[in-house]
Amino acid sequence: MQTVPTEVDPRSFVAAVEHPVRRADAEVLLELFADVTGQEPVMWGPSIIGFGAYHYRYASGREGDAPAVGFSPRKSNLALYVLMPGERCAGFLARLGKHKRSVACLYVNKLADIDIDVLRELMAESYQYTMTVMHQEPGSGGVTSRARPR
């Protein structure tokens, strides 16, 4: 099942986050992501706040929509969906501060653990990459982007 945009208000979702530090950090991230991307926040599924969107189509024929960048204020950490493939983000991550990573996202306990200016740079680069290059593999048919401007 794909994660799809919903009509839930992201600001109301953030206001309902129980953990006070996680809620305050999510409020900062709402403004930071909107400022960097120029996009309004949109809830994707029950817990991801996305900014901008793109339509992907793989060579296999699988296709769908996904947020260009985003975050999720989870109970145990903040999940930041700002990573690019390969080594494109290695320099940013070396300067970011305390974090963990997976293939698709970064995990931080609180914003105070990282350098917000580095996050801003990483987010801008990732957003640009996603909206212009993401999934343009041979035979994939490319990617069609769409965004909900601020």
Side-chain angles (χ1 to χ4, degrees):
M1 175 177 244
Q2 289 185 339
T3 301
V4 297
T6 71
E7 294 299 319
V8 174
D9 175 38
R11 288 172 178 78
S12 296
F13 172 76
V14 166
V17 171
E18 290 181 26
H19 191 284
V21 173
R22 200 92 58 243
R23 182 175 54 252
D25 284 351
E27 290 168 353
V28 169
L29 289 173
L30 277 172
E31 298 308 315
L32 182 64
F33 274 82
D35 183 53
V36 169
T37 66
Q39 303 298 316
E40 285 294 324
V42 174
M43 289 300 301
W44 287 74
S47 63
I48 296 173
I49 301 169
F51 296 80
Y54 69 101
H55 184 81
Y56 61 86
R57 187 179 312 111
Y58 295 118
S60 67
R62 181 172 183 250
E63 62 182 290
D65 296 314
V69 292
F71 72 96
S72 180
R74 299 177 173 182
K75 288 187 184 210
S76 59
N77 55 36
L78 295 165
L80 307 174
Y81 302 97
V82 294
L83 292 183
M84 297 168 284
E87 295 301 313
R88 296 182 66 89
C89 56
F92 297 111
L93 297 180
R95 300 181 295 129
L96 184 62
K98 186 178 174 183
H99 69 277
K100 293 180 182 178
R101 71 174 287 185
S102 69
V103 173
C105 64
L106 294 174
Y107 301 99
V108 299
N109 290 327
K110 57 188 179 296
L111 292 182
D113 291 342
I114 62 171
D115 185 324
I116 295 294
D117 291 332
V118 174
L119 176 61
R120 176 185 287 275
E121 292 174 40
L122 173 59
M123 185 187 310
E125 182 82 11
S126 180
Y127 179 75
Q128 181 66 25
Y129 180 85
T130 300
M131 296 302 280
T132 60
V133 177
M134 196 71 160
H135 297 294
Q136 289 189 1
E137 302 165 355
S140 72
V143 71
T144 307
S145 65
R146 64 181 165 77
R148 195 179 288 179
R150 293 180 76 185

